[in-house]
Amino acid sequence: MGPLFDVSGDSNGVIGDFLGFALSLRNLSGRPATEEFAERFSPAGSGMLLPDVFAAYRAEEPDDFPPEFGEQVTGEVGRKELWVLTRLRYGQTPTSAVIDGPELRHLLNEALAQRTEQTAP
């Protein structure tokens, strides 16, 4: 996993974990992070699946949300671009967060900028 990120309002650390995993995608593909992000996390993006570790996908149907989010979020499908981020841990209940697309891309850009600052000479 990549660097650790502390995101305000992310009490379970799911969004922070997502950012770390997303930044590490280039280690798998060899492509620049900006290309990976544009392909995977655009409004029509494919998302991310790291089997048994993490999943990030755009919710397109009410059934795409984990049950704990209920109708308050499912009613937004079609009106907002919502992404489900789920940390998968063997033997434990998955932990999820829901975030809207523009905020997801903003956080990815911020995380990328922080990583760039940390590696600059």
Side-chain angles (χ1 to χ4, degrees), residues 14-90:
V14 175
I15 298 170
D17 283 355
F18 162 74
L19 294 171
F21 286 123
L23 283 172
S24 68
L25 287 171
R26 71 182 201 136
N27 296 333
L28 298 173
S29 70
R31 296 172 48 200
T34 53
E35 287 180 21
E36 285 287 340
F37 295 169
E39 179 181 311
R40 293 175 179 270
F41 305 113
S42 69
S46 60
M48 172 179 77
L49 175 62
L50 302 173
D52 300 322
V53 178
F54 208 94
Y57 59 91
R58 181 165 179 199
E60 297 179 2
E61 303 288 330
D63 289 343
D64 290 342
F65 294 98
E68 65 265 22
F69 289 99
E71 292 180 18
Q72 69 190 40
V73 175
T74 59
E76 296 291 324
V77 172
R79 291 188 289 195
K80 283 186 166 183
E81 176 195 346
L82 298 175
W83 287 75
V84 177
L85 311 176
T86 303
R87 181 176 48 229
L88 307 166
R89 291 187 174 157
Y90 180 77

